[in-house]
Amino acid sequence: MNDTALELSAPPALAKNGVRVVALGGLGEVGRNMTVVEYEGRLLIIDCGVLFPEDHPGVDLILPDFEYIKDRLDDIEAIVLTHGHEDHIGAVPYLLRMKSDIPLIGSTLTLALIEAKLKEHRIRPYTMAVKEGQREQIGPFDCEFVAVNHSIPDALAVFVRTGGGTILGTGDFKMDQLPLDGRITDLRAFARLGEEGVDLFLTDSTNAEVPGFTTPEKDITPAIERVFERAERRIIVACFSSHVHRVQQVLDAAELYGRKVAMVGRSMVRNMTIAADLGYLKVPDNVLVDVKKLDQLEDDKVVLICTGSQGEPMAALARMANRDHRIDVGPGDTILMASSLIPGNENAVYGLINGLMRLGANVVHKGNAMVHVSGHASAGELLYCYNIVKPKNVMPIHGEWRHLVANGKLAAATGVPAEQVLLAENGVVVDLVDGKAAITGAVPVGYVYVDGSLVGTTDEDMLKDRRVLRDEGFITITVVRNASTGEIVAGPDIRTRGFAEGDEVFERIRPKIEQALADARGKGITDTHQLQQVIRRTVGGFVGGKLRRRPMIIPIVLNA
C-alpha cells in the first residue's frame, strides 16, 4: 500500500485529462470531512464538516483548512453533501461566508438541516435537492446519487463521472438489511457502477477494524424497551441532535410505556421538528410535551431527549451532571446514552458517566447494554462492497490512521493491487490519470479553530498557553527599579495561581531573583526584556527543580 510517511512537495500541474482529489479534512481523524475533486480547472466539493475538539481549551469547533481553495472560489461548481451529520455539513456556513452563492446539493433532509443552520448565520443558500437514482450534470462533473443506509435518513453516496475517470464516494454508510425506515444501501446500483468501471473508490473507514457486520438498528429496540420497563423515575436519553432513528425508537418506547417526551436543547428541537415536518420522524399522538410543563407530570411518566452523549462540556447532559441545568438529576433517574464513542472522546464521556452516577443516577450505555449500534460499515460489509464494485484504485477516507490502514488491507485482500491502495493524510494530492491513481504531492493544511465569534485567529501557540495555564498554573513576578541607577526599589512581588503549595515556598526564590538581578546589573544589562528573561530563567529553574512543575511564568519589570 502507498502511504504518506515521507515528506511531500507541492504537486505538479495536473496532467491533461487528469482528475485531482485532495482531502482537506477527514483523513487521520473522525470528523471534518471535506474532499475536493478537480477536473478541467473546475472544482467539486464533497462534504464540508466540523471536528469537535477534545484537548483544545476554549475552542468550539475545528474547521477544514480552506486555504487551498480560497483563491479558487469562482471555480467551485457545487458542494455535494452526502448526509446531515455535523461532521459532514457543519463547516458549510464558514465556507459560504467566503462566497455565499456556491450551490449546495443533497437530499431533502440534508438540505433542510443545513438551511436551518445557515439561517442562523443569515445566509440564504442556492440549493438543489436530489434523490437516489438521480443524475445531474454539474459543470464537467456528471454526478449520480445512490441510496446508502446510515444513522440518519436520506444519506447518499455519489458517483462522479468525468472525462478523466470515475470516482465513487460512499459517504458514511452501512449495510443494515432491516433499517427502521426500510431504505437499504443500494448494492444493485453499486454493482451496476462497478460494471461500468470505478476508477477510484473513496470508502468510509470508521469501522474497518470491526469484524463481521454491523448490528441492525432493529436489534436494539428490545434493549431500549427494557430500559423503559425498569426505570423507576425519569428517563433522560442523550444522543446526537440529528439521530432521527434513535429518537424514533425512544418515541415509540415512550408511547408503549405511557410516558411523555420533551426535547431539550435548541439543536435537538430544531432538527427533530424538521425531521417530523418532512415525514422522516413519526411522532405518536399526545407523546410530545413542552419541557416547561414537566413539573406537572409524575417523574415515572417523563422522558427527556437531549444532546451531550460525547461529553461536550456545554451540552445539556454535561450541564445536568454539573448541577448547572434546570433538570436536577438524582437517585432513581435513568440516563440512556444512546450513541457510540467518537474516538478521542473517551475520557470526557467516562468522566460524564462517573459524574452522573455520583449523583445517584443509573447510567445505561453501550458498554453495559446494547443500546446503540454504529452507523458505519464493519469489515464484512466493506469486503462485500469491494467485491461488488471491483474498483481499480482505492483511497480509504473518514477515520483515524488505524482505520485507514485497516480499510486499505481489506481492499488489498479482495484483489485490489497493493500499489493502488492509497493511504493519504489531509492535504495529500492524489491524481487519477489514465485509470491509475497516484500520490503526486501535498498542499499545506492545518486546523482552523472557531473560538467564540472568532474564526482562524486562535493558533497552536495560544492553545499551548491555555493548556499550561490549565494544567500547571502561573506565576507573576513584579519588580520595580530605579530607571537611572538600575537599583531594585520594590519587589520582587510574587503571585501564584493554580498551586497547592503555600506562598512560603516561593519566599525561598525571592533572594535568588534579587541576586540574579544584581548580577545582571553588574554585567551592564539594563534592557527590560533581558531582565524579564533573567527572572523567568531563575524562577523556572526553581519550580522545575524543586516543585517538578512547568507553569507559565510572567515577569514584569517596571521603571520608576
Side-chain angles (χ1 to χ4, degrees), residues 173-176 204-215 374-386 407 410:
F173 85 111
K174 59 179 177 177
M175 289 165 50
D176 190 339
D204 178 11
S205 305
T206 312
N207 263 9
E209 290 185 307
V210 180
F213 282 64
T214 301
T215 304
S374 175
H376 302 271
S378 297
E381 293 152 273
L382 292 172
L383 289 170
Y384 206 94
C385 285
Y386 287 130
N407 198 358
L410 294 174

Side-chain angles (χ1 to χ4, degrees), residues 71-282:
D71 295 327
R72 301 189 60 187
L73 298 176
D74 291 337
D75 296 337
I76 301 173
E77 294 287 351
I79 304 171
V80 172
L81 302 172
T82 60
H83 65 282
H85 280 152
E86 285 294 300
D87 59 335
H88 289 257
I89 69 171
V92 170
Y94 301 94
L95 181 54
L96 292 195
R97 284 183 186 180
M98 301 167 68
K99 190 174 190 294
S100 62
D101 61 350
I102 300 173
L104 305 179
I105 299 173
S107 67
T108 300
L109 178 60
T110 302
L111 290 181
L113 293 174
I114 189 58
E115 284 169 349
K117 182 179 292 293
L118 288 168
K119 189 174 182 180
E120 296 180 359
H121 290 258
R122 299 181 181 178
I123 297 173
R124 298 184 63 181
Y126 291 82
T127 61
M128 176 193 293
V130 294
K131 58 185 179 180
E132 54 264 32
Q134 191 167 333
R135 189 168 169 176
E136 295 288 342
Q137 189 71 38
I138 306 167
F141 305 99
D142 179 352
C143 296
E144 181 176 342
F145 301 92
V146 180
V148 291
N149 176 248
H150 186 41
S151 54
I152 186 172
D154 238 8
L156 295 168
V158 58
F159 184 60
V160 182
R161 298 177 176 89
T162 73
T166 60
I167 299 171
L168 176 57
T170 64
D172 286 353
F173 85 111
K174 59 179 177 177
M175 289 165 50
D176 190 339
Q177 299 303 297
L178 299 170
L180 297 178
D181 59 2
R183 185 175 178 272
I184 63 173
T185 293
D186 191 350
L187 297 179
R188 292 183 299 174
F190 275 27
R192 173 174 54 80
L193 298 175
E195 290 294 325
E196 179 179 332
V198 174
D199 292 316
L200 182 59
F201 196 21
L202 308 179
T203 49
D204 178 11
S205 305
T206 312
N207 263 9
E209 290 185 307
V210 180
F213 282 64
T214 301
T215 304
E217 294 276 350
K218 281 188 176 180
D219 284 7
I220 71 170
T221 298
I224 292 175
E225 290 179 355
R226 278 195 297 273
V227 170
F228 275 72
E229 182 181 355
R230 297 171 182 174
E232 299 172 6
R233 293 182 66 218
R234 294 171 300 186
I235 299 173
I236 301 171
V237 180
C239 65
F240 293 119
S241 64
S242 54
H243 203 332
V244 178
H245 293 326
R246 193 68 69 249
V247 171
Q248 184 69 68
Q249 289 172 306
V250 172
L251 290 174
D252 292 343
E255 181 186 35
L256 181 63
Y257 286 90
R259 287 179 178 255
K260 301 293 185 182
V261 177
M263 306 275 185
V264 180
R266 184 177 62 174
S267 61
M268 180 67 72
V269 171
R270 180 191 66 200
N271 290 347
M272 291 308 138
T273 299
I274 291 170
D277 289 345
L278 293 175
Y280 295 98
L281 182 69
K282 311 295 183 185

Side-chain angles (χ1 to χ4, degrees), residues 38-88:
E38 179 178 357
Y39 179 66
E40 291 187 342
R42 305 299 292 173
L43 305 178
L44 182 73
I45 295 174
I46 302 175
D47 289 326
C48 186
V50 297
L51 177 67
F52 293 101
E54 184 195 11
D55 188 28
H56 299 79
V59 173
D60 302 309
L61 300 169
I62 304 176
L63 307 179
D65 189 345
F66 300 143
E67 187 71 20
Y68 173 64
I69 59 172
K70 77 171 187 178
D71 295 327
R72 301 189 60 187
L73 298 176
D74 291 337
D75 296 337
I76 301 173
E77 294 287 351
I79 304 171
V80 172
L81 302 172
T82 60
H83 65 282
H85 280 152
E86 285 294 300
D87 59 335
H88 289 257

Side-chain angles (χ1 to χ4, degrees), residues 325-368:
H325 198 278
R326 68 182 300 271
I327 306 300
D328 190 15
V329 174
D333 287 333
T334 297
I335 313 296
L336 173 56
M337 301 186 71
S339 293
S340 58
L341 275 174
I342 292 177
N345 291 351
E346 292 88 350
N347 290 340
V349 172
Y350 290 129
L352 178 59
I353 291 172
N354 288 329
L356 291 165
M357 295 184 72
R358 215 171 269 122
L359 297 176
N362 173 37
V363 183
V364 182
H365 54 92
K366 190 179 179 183
N368 58 23

Side-chain angles (χ1 to χ4, degrees), residues 1-3 396 404-410 412 417-423:
M1 290 184 287
N2 290 329
D3 60 35
L404 304 180
V405 170
N407 198 358
K409 289 180 178 178
L410 294 174
E419 63 273 15
Q420 298 314 125
V421 178
L422 308 176
L423 299 184

